[in-house]
Structure formats: structure tokens, C-alpha cells
Amino acid sequence: TPDGPQLAGDLALHSQNARDLVKWAFPAQTSATETLWTGSRGQLKLQTRIDFSPAALRLAKADYELDGAAGTLELVADGTGKNIRLAAKMLDIDNFIPRGVLALAPDGDGGWGLLPALLPSLSDLPQLKLVVQAEKLRLNGIVAEDVVIDAGFGSKGLDLKLAEIGKVGEAHLEASGMVEAAANGPSGTLSAKISADNPRGLLKLLG
């Protein structure tokens, strides 16, 4: 093709170390991967339709198992950025990032208050659109059910179209908003609606 060699077909992949695979695929994010991903290295099985050229990569109708947890994945990566759609029965973040949200904090202080400090670094990342649906998600030792995240990240900041937790303990959460990464500091609005008789599980989940 005019863009160079092209590969199209079915791909079956088995890796004993998904962490190293991610570092190989995204070398610019090696340092961040090593800082965050300190838990299980992840045994990965992947069966997908692949279309690859120097200009773009597409994984379609991909079925995967990561440390035995099954899900589906779609990915499109080209010069404009990356689109990722992930659906999982169980997304065990604790298994791979044992410190949870606190892993983002260089001095051990954390929580979602880290977001303003992290936004300026988004200007170094390609545009990313991410949709995650998980029947169950484990983070900070808490299991949440019916989790949906629909967000965009990039040089302009964070566009959170929806973050929904159907159930965590006795709580339900819906959040959305936009935060811009400006030269004089991040600005914007995030709004949340919480229904909870007892919010302790939700608060622990969010760090």
C-alpha cells in the first residue's frame, strides 16, 4: 500500500508477562508502567482479528484472558490517537496495581486530589478515547459492580463523559465533567451524583 507493508489476518497471542508486552508496545510509557504496575505481571491470552500498517493498528473482536479473567477488546491506533473499548467480567486492578490510586503519588499522598497535578502531563500523550465496562471491578480492596467509564484524554485535558458505579456496598455513583490542562493550571468542572445509605465502601474504593 502507499503507507508501506500491511498485515491483515487472525492473531493468537500468549504471553507469560503482559507487563513487558505493554512496555514493548508503548516504549514512551515504560517509566510510568514500571511505577504503576508493581503487582502480577499478568498471563495474557489473546485471539483477535488484526489489521496493521505503519500508519495504523486495529484489533477487532478480540477475546482475551488476563490471569484467567476473560473479556473483549477493540483497539484502533493511528496518527490521531488511540480508541480503546474494553469489556470485562472482572477487572482486578489490585492484582496489577496493588497501591491503587496512591501509586500515582510520588510521596505516598494520593486520592483523586492528584488529578490537577497529573493533568499537565497529558499534553505529552497522544489523544486517547477510552470506554470500559466491567461487571465487577476490584480496587483498594473493594469490589464494585456494573462499572462504566467513558472518557477522553489528551493535550486539552480530561473529558469525562460518564463514570458510573452501579453498586459498591450500599452506594451508587455517577460522575461527569471536563477539566482542561491550561498553562496557568487546570480548570473545569466535575459533577457527581451519589446515592448512598453507607458511603464507606465507595470512599475506600476511590482512595
Side-chain angles (χ1 to χ4, degrees):
T1 68
D3 293 326
Q6 185 169 356
L7 172 67
D10 295 322
L11 172 68
L13 174 68
H14 186 192
S15 172
Q16 295 291 333
N17 193 321
R19 180 177 183 259
D20 282 352
L21 184 64
V22 170
K23 289 162 58 178
W24 171 81
F26 304 101
Q29 276 73 54
T30 293
S31 178
T33 301
E34 291 177 344
T35 299
L36 295 173
W37 194 332
T38 59
S40 170
R41 296 309 189 248
Q43 293 190 37
L44 174 66
K45 295 180 181 179
L46 179 71
Q47 182 79 40
T48 184
R49 173 73 182 180
I50 182 172
D51 291 285
F52 172 78
S53 73
L57 168 66
R58 177 184 177 89
L59 303 181
K61 299 179 180 179
D63 295 313
Y64 76 86
E65 284 189 14
L66 186 59
D67 278 359
T72 62
L73 172 69
E74 292 186 8
L75 180 145
V76 178
D78 56 26
T80 64
K82 297 180 177 67
N83 291 346
I84 300 174
R85 181 177 292 271
L86 177 72
K89 292 185 178 297
M90 177 64 174
L91 194 56
D92 191 348
I93 296 176
D94 282 353
N95 187 39
F96 308 104
I97 308 177
R99 294 180 60 214
V101 176
L102 292 177
L104 299 170
D107 298 319
D109 297 325
W112 294 101
L114 281 167
L115 183 59
L118 292 171
L119 280 173
S121 66
L122 291 174
S123 60
D124 298 328
L125 297 176
Q127 192 72 24
L128 170 64
K129 293 181 180 180
L130 177 67
V131 177
V132 176
Q133 296 174 292
E135 294 181 15
K136 292 184 178 181
L137 179 146
R138 186 162 74 98
L139 175 64
N140 294 330
I142 300 295
V143 175
E145 299 179 20
D146 300 326
V147 176
V148 177
I149 298 172
D150 185 351
F153 306 85
S155 59
K156 293 183 179 181
L158 166 67
D159 180 9
L160 182 63
K161 293 180 172 59
L162 175 66
E164 181 176 6
I165 299 173
K167 181 180 180 182
V168 53
E170 301 175 19
H172 173 90
L173 168 70
E174 290 185 27
S176 62
M178 179 175 290
V179 180
E180 296 182 356
N184 58 349
S187 62
T189 302
L190 290 174
S191 60
K193 181 172 67 175
I194 300 174
S195 303
D197 293 329
N198 184 342
R200 284 181 297 179
L202 177 62
L203 295 175
K204 185 176 179 181
L205 176 83
L206 299 178

XYZ file of all heavy atoms in Angstrom, residues 72-137:
487
model
N -13.411 -8.775 26.396
C -13.267 -8.456 24.975
C -12.622 -7.090 24.836
O -12.716 -6.232 25.722
C -14.633 -8.458 24.264
O -15.477 -7.447 24.848
C -15.302 -9.814 24.379
N -11.986 -6.894 23.691
C -11.215 -5.671 23.470
C -11.314 -5.247 22.012
O -11.277 -6.085 21.113
C -9.737 -5.919 23.822
C -8.723 -4.835 23.486
C -8.921 -3.618 24.372
C -7.298 -5.362 23.619
N -11.444 -3.936 21.798
C -11.310 -3.349 20.476
C -10.346 -2.180 20.589
O -10.416 -1.388 21.533
C -12.661 -2.866 19.937
C -13.627 -3.991 19.627
C -14.896 -3.497 18.962
O -14.956 -2.299 18.616
O -15.835 -4.302 18.802
N -9.432 -2.073 19.630
C -8.429 -1.015 19.662
C -8.174 -0.492 18.262
O -8.014 -1.277 17.322
C -7.120 -1.516 20.275
C -5.961 -0.524 20.375
C -5.132 -0.773 21.633
C -5.042 -0.587 19.145
N -8.143 0.833 18.131
C -7.734 1.495 16.898
C -6.690 2.541 17.261
O -6.946 3.412 18.106
C -8.921 2.168 16.181
C -8.432 2.896 14.932
C -9.986 1.143 15.812
N -5.512 2.442 16.675
C -4.442 3.397 16.933
C -3.894 3.900 15.603
O -3.505 3.104 14.741
C -3.325 2.747 17.745
N -3.902 5.223 15.446
C -3.338 5.819 14.232
C -2.736 7.171 14.582
O -2.508 7.469 15.767
C -4.413 5.961 13.147
C -5.632 6.754 13.605
O -5.494 7.596 14.516
O -6.736 6.517 13.063
N -2.470 7.990 13.578
C -1.819 9.262 13.816
C -2.623 10.243 14.633
O -2.074 11.203 15.181
N -3.923 10.034 14.752
C -4.771 10.956 15.509
C -4.918 10.552 16.968
O -5.429 11.329 17.773
C -6.175 11.051 14.872
O -6.808 9.767 14.949
C -6.075 11.467 13.418
N -4.504 9.350 17.325
C -4.610 8.908 18.707
C -5.022 7.458 18.811
O -4.840 6.674 17.879
N -5.594 7.113 19.948
C -5.986 5.725 20.220
C -7.423 5.686 20.722
O -7.829 6.502 21.552
C -5.059 5.102 21.265
C -3.598 4.979 20.844
C -2.779 4.347 21.943
C -1.331 4.146 21.509
N -0.634 5.431 21.309
N -8.173 4.717 20.219
C -9.516 4.415 20.713
C -9.491 3.009 21.289
O -9.129 2.052 20.588
C -10.558 4.488 19.590
C -10.785 5.905 19.100
O -10.379 6.871 19.731
N -11.434 6.023 17.965
N -9.888 2.872 22.546
C -9.878 1.571 23.214
C -11.249 1.334 23.833
O -11.780 2.197 24.540
C -8.799 1.499 24.313
C -7.405 1.725 23.705
C -8.850 0.157 25.034
C -6.299 1.813 24.749
N -11.799 0.157 23.563
C -13.063 -0.261 24.178
C -12.831 -1.624 24.828
O -12.409 -2.565 24.163
C -14.171 -0.346 23.137
C -15.533 -0.757 23.702
C -16.594 -0.760 22.622
N -16.877 0.582 22.157
C -17.799 1.385 22.701
N -18.522 0.951 23.740
N -18.007 2.581 22.218
N -13.080 -1.690 26.130
C -12.797 -2.893 26.901
C -14.044 -3.313 27.670
O -14.691 -2.481 28.317
C -11.659 -2.625 27.884
C -11.264 -3.749 28.848
C -10.549 -4.853 28.090
C -10.383 -3.215 29.963
N -14.387 -4.581 27.584
C -15.494 -5.133 28.362
C -14.967 -6.340 29.126
O -14.343 -7.229 28.542
C -16.654 -5.540 27.458
N -15.215 -6.369 30.434
C -14.654 -7.425 31.274
C -15.683 -7.914 32.282
O -16.494 -7.130 32.787
C -13.418 -6.916 32.013
N -15.628 -9.205 32.580
C -16.450 -9.737 33.658
C -15.882 -9.316 35.006
O -16.622 -8.967 35.934
C -16.537 -11.260 33.559
C -17.319 -11.765 32.348
C -17.458 -13.271 32.376
C -18.276 -13.764 31.187
N -19.660 -13.255 31.231
N -14.538 -9.351 35.122
C -13.873 -8.934 36.347
C -12.621 -8.158 35.992
O -11.763 -8.664 35.256
C -13.499 -10.140 37.211
C -12.735 -9.781 38.478
S -13.731 -8.773 39.601
C -12.694 -8.667 41.050
N -12.501 -6.932 36.461
C -11.328 -6.100 36.236
C -10.658 -5.904 37.591
O -11.086 -5.088 38.411
C -11.741 -4.762 35.624
C -10.640 -3.888 35.016
C -9.873 -4.643 33.948
C -11.243 -2.613 34.447
N -9.604 -6.682 37.831
C -8.953 -6.706 39.139
C -7.727 -5.797 39.111
O -6.608 -6.246 38.878
C -8.564 -8.138 39.504
C -8.126 -8.271 40.951
O -7.902 -7.239 41.605
O -8.001 -9.416 41.425
N -7.949 -4.518 39.363
C -6.845 -3.561 39.330
C -5.852 -3.832 40.454
O -4.639 -3.695 40.279
C -7.396 -2.125 39.405
C -8.253 -1.839 38.168
C -6.259 -1.106 39.512
C -8.935 -0.491 38.172
N -6.349 -4.255 41.621
C -5.455 -4.547 42.744
C -4.421 -5.608 42.395
O -3.305 -5.593 42.919
C -6.262 -5.032 43.951
C -6.942 -3.889 44.694
O -6.673 -2.721 44.359
O -7.744 -4.173 45.598
N -4.777 -6.545 41.532
C -3.872 -7.621 41.156
C -2.627 -7.092 40.447
O -1.545 -7.668 40.566
C -4.606 -8.615 40.257
C -3.793 -9.854 39.960
O -3.090 -10.379 40.821
N -3.860 -10.322 38.723
N -2.783 -5.982 39.731
C -1.680 -5.441 38.933
C -1.116 -4.141 39.517
O 0.070 -3.860 39.373
C -2.155 -5.189 37.499
C -2.804 -6.391 36.879
C -4.184 -6.474 36.749
C -2.031 -7.459 36.470
C -4.779 -7.596 36.202
C -2.618 -8.592 35.917
C -3.998 -8.665 35.793
N -1.961 -3.358 40.179
C -1.538 -2.081 40.782
C -1.940 -2.136 42.255
O -2.973 -1.571 42.649
C -2.183 -0.870 40.074
C -1.949 -0.961 38.564
C -1.625 0.438 40.610
C -2.609 0.148 37.773
N -1.160 -2.827 43.089
C -1.580 -3.069 44.478
C -1.819 -1.798 45.288
O -2.635 -1.804 46.208
C -0.416 -3.871 45.060
C 0.271 -4.488 43.886
C 0.106 -3.499 42.772
N -1.136 -0.714 44.945
C -1.299 0.523 45.718
C -2.469 1.365 45.223
O -2.761 2.410 45.781
C -0.013 1.345 45.665
C 1.178 0.696 46.357
C 2.400 1.576 46.265
N 2.175 2.860 46.888
C 2.720 4.002 46.455
N 3.484 4.000 45.370
N 2.480 5.133 47.080
N -3.139 0.912 44.184
C -4.302 1.637 43.692
C -3.985 3.056 43.281
O -2.928 3.336 42.700
N -4.882 3.987 43.600
C -4.699 5.384 43.226
C -3.444 5.973 43.843
O -2.786 6.839 43.262
C -5.939 6.203 43.650
C -5.740 7.682 43.361
C -7.171 5.705 42.921
N -3.045 5.484 45.024
C -1.861 6.014 45.692
C -0.592 5.781 44.889
O 0.409 6.475 45.091
C -1.707 5.364 47.075
C -2.764 5.732 48.122
C -2.511 4.955 49.401
C -2.753 7.221 48.402
N -0.599 4.832 43.955
C 0.586 4.575 43.131
C 0.924 5.768 42.254
O 2.053 5.894 41.769
C 0.369 3.344 42.261
N -0.034 6.666 42.046
C 0.208 7.846 41.227
C 0.924 8.942 41.993
O 1.378 9.914 41.403
C -1.124 8.390 40.692
C -1.929 7.447 39.799
C -3.312 8.018 39.559
C -1.214 7.212 38.488
N 1.005 8.803 43.322
C 1.575 9.864 44.158
C 3.034 9.586 44.456
O 3.374 8.557 45.014
C 0.794 9.965 45.459
N 3.956 10.500 44.099
C 5.372 10.254 44.325
C 5.751 10.160 45.791
O 6.704 9.502 46.154
C 6.063 11.459 43.651
C 5.008 12.520 43.604
C 3.707 11.792 43.435
N 4.993 10.804 46.687
C 5.355 10.828 48.101
C 4.390 10.043 48.973
O 4.374 10.191 50.187
C 5.420 12.278 48.607
C 6.481 13.083 47.875
O 7.565 12.517 47.636
O 6.222 14.246 47.537
N 3.542 9.223 48.299
C 2.630 8.401 49.074
C 1.322 9.071 49.417
O 0.445 8.467 50.004
N 1.188 10.374 49.111
C -0.076 11.056 49.316
C -0.886 10.910 48.045
O -0.353 10.935 46.948
C 0.153 12.540 49.612
C 0.934 12.742 50.903
O 0.718 11.950 51.821
O 1.752 13.677 50.961
N -2.189 10.755 48.170
C -2.928 10.500 46.940
C -4.384 10.807 47.043
O -4.787 11.793 47.626
N -5.190 9.901 46.465
C -6.602 10.164 46.314
C -6.836 10.900 45.016
O -5.919 11.244 44.272
N -8.089 11.173 44.722
C -8.426 11.818 43.466
C -8.021 13.281 43.441
O -8.108 13.937 42.412
C -9.916 11.642 43.187
C -10.226 10.210 42.958
C -10.778 9.331 43.832
C -9.938 9.452 41.777
N -10.870 8.076 43.279
C -10.361 8.122 42.026
C -9.371 9.771 40.543
C -10.250 7.120 41.079
C -9.253 8.758 39.609
C -9.685 7.461 39.881
N -7.535 13.824 44.568
C -6.967 15.161 44.560
C -5.704 15.246 43.723
O -5.208 16.343 43.430
N -5.143 14.096 43.341
C -3.967 14.086 42.471
C -4.279 14.565 41.061
O -3.380 14.967 40.328
C -3.405 12.664 42.369
C -2.552 12.157 43.523
C -2.370 10.671 43.396
C -1.233 12.868 43.544
N -5.545 14.542 40.665
C -5.902 14.807 39.285
C -5.357 16.137 38.763
O -4.772 16.177 37.673
C -7.425 14.758 39.126
C -7.971 14.959 37.712
C -7.423 13.889 36.772
C -9.496 14.932 37.719
N -5.486 17.254 39.506
C -4.951 18.516 38.981
C -3.455 18.475 38.712
O -2.968 19.058 37.753
C -5.295 19.528 40.080
C -6.465 18.935 40.780
C -6.231 17.454 40.754
N -2.710 17.768 39.552
C -1.270 17.685 39.358
C -0.890 16.829 38.159
O 0.148 17.031 37.535
C -0.609 17.132 40.620
N -1.754 15.872 37.815
C -1.443 14.958 36.725
C -1.837 15.511 35.359
O -1.256 15.138 34.346
C -2.165 13.629 36.931
C -1.698 12.787 38.116
C -2.645 11.623 38.319
C -0.281 12.303 37.915
N -2.801 16.423 35.317
C -3.317 16.888 34.033
C -2.260 17.507 33.125
O -2.291 17.273 31.917
C -4.463 17.879 34.258
C -5.811 17.223 34.589
C -6.821 18.287 34.962
C -6.314 16.402 33.421
N -1.317 18.327 33.629
C -0.331 18.896 32.701
C 0.445 17.856 31.916
O 0.851 18.098 30.778
C 0.591 19.697 33.632
C -0.267 20.059 34.786
C -1.177 18.856 34.981
N 0.674 16.662 32.487
C 1.428 15.628 31.778
C 0.651 15.034 30.626
O 1.223 14.369 29.759
C 1.831 14.515 32.747
O 0.688 13.838 33.219
N -0.659 15.281 30.554
C -1.459 14.736 29.463
C -1.050 15.326 28.121
O -1.282 14.720 27.082
C -2.949 15.008 29.709
C -3.583 14.247 30.873
C -5.005 14.726 31.103
C -3.553 12.753 30.640
N -0.439 16.516 28.142
C -0.031 17.133 26.884
C 1.046 16.324 26.178
O 1.269 16.490 24.978
C 0.479 18.558 27.147
O 1.587 18.531 28.028
N 1.707 15.432 26.916
C 2.750 14.593 26.321
C 2.196 13.300 25.747
O 2.930 12.514 25.157
C 3.815 14.254 27.374
C 4.523 15.483 27.899
O 4.677 16.440 27.113
O 4.890 15.500 29.080
N 0.890 13.048 25.932
C 0.295 11.801 25.495
C -0.486 11.987 24.203
O -1.006 13.069 23.935
C -0.664 11.271 26.573
C -0.058 10.918 27.924
C -1.149 10.504 28.880
C 0.992 9.834 27.795
N -0.575 10.936 23.389
C -1.461 11.010 22.226
C -2.906 11.033 22.679
O -3.230 10.638 23.796
C -1.143 9.708 21.472
C -0.647 8.781 22.525
C 0.088 9.631 23.519
N -3.788 11.528 21.812
C -5.210 11.559 22.145
C -5.708 10.142 22.418
O -5.426 9.216 21.660
C -5.992 12.180 20.989
C -7.428 12.526 21.330
C -7.538 13.719 22.251
O -6.656 14.550 22.303
N -8.634 13.798 22.981
N -6.428 9.973 23.512
C -6.916 8.658 23.902
C -8.397 8.735 24.234
O -8.811 9.582 25.033
C -6.155 8.135 25.119
C -6.699 6.869 25.799
C -6.628 5.679 24.856
C -5.950 6.578 27.098
N -9.180 7.874 23.597
C -10.584 7.714 23.943
C -10.757 6.322 24.517
O -10.366 5.335 23.895
C -11.474 7.909 22.711
C -11.453 9.337 22.167
C -12.378 9.485 20.966
C -12.350 10.914 20.425
N -13.245 11.069 19.247
N -11.339 6.259 25.709
C -11.393 5.008 26.451
C -12.818 4.734 26.924
O -13.450 5.600 27.538
C -10.459 5.083 27.660
C -10.439 3.889 28.611
C -9.840 2.668 27.922
C -9.643 4.229 29.865
N -13.305 3.540 26.620
C -14.591 3.077 27.134
C -14.355 1.740 27.832
O -13.837 0.803 27.219
C -15.643 2.914 26.022
C -16.938 2.350 26.600
C -15.913 4.245 25.332
N -14.705 1.676 29.112
C -14.530 0.459 29.900
C -15.876 0.074 30.508
O -16.573 0.919 31.086
C -13.502 0.657 31.033
C -13.416 -0.587 31.908
C -12.135 0.994 30.458
N -16.229 -1.192 30.366
C -17.418 -1.743 31.005
C -16.993 -2.993 31.761
O -16.411 -3.905 31.167
C -18.487 -2.097 29.971
C -19.028 -0.894 29.205
C -19.984 -1.303 28.099
O -19.584 -1.916 27.119
N -21.249 -0.949 28.256
N -17.250 -3.019 33.057
C -16.852 -4.157 33.887
C -18.020 -4.588 34.752
O -18.614 -3.759 35.447
C -15.657 -3.787 34.755
N -18.330 -5.884 34.696
C -19.374 -6.403 35.577
C -18.950 -6.260 37.036
O -19.771 -5.937 37.903
C -19.680 -7.856 35.242
C -20.299 -8.042 33.863
C -20.617 -9.494 33.570
O -20.629 -10.315 34.525
O -20.863 -9.816 32.394
N -17.639 -6.497 37.285
C -17.084 -6.276 38.617
C -15.696 -5.646 38.480
O -14.961 -5.954 37.547
C -16.990 -7.588 39.404
C -18.337 -8.191 39.773
C -18.167 -9.426 40.640
C -19.526 -9.995 41.036
N -19.386 -11.193 41.913
N -15.351 -4.776 39.411
C -14.044 -4.133 39.437
C -13.550 -4.113 40.871
O -14.294 -3.748 41.789
C -14.146 -2.712 38.887
C -12.866 -1.865 38.867
C -12.854 -0.949 37.649
C -12.727 -1.021 40.142
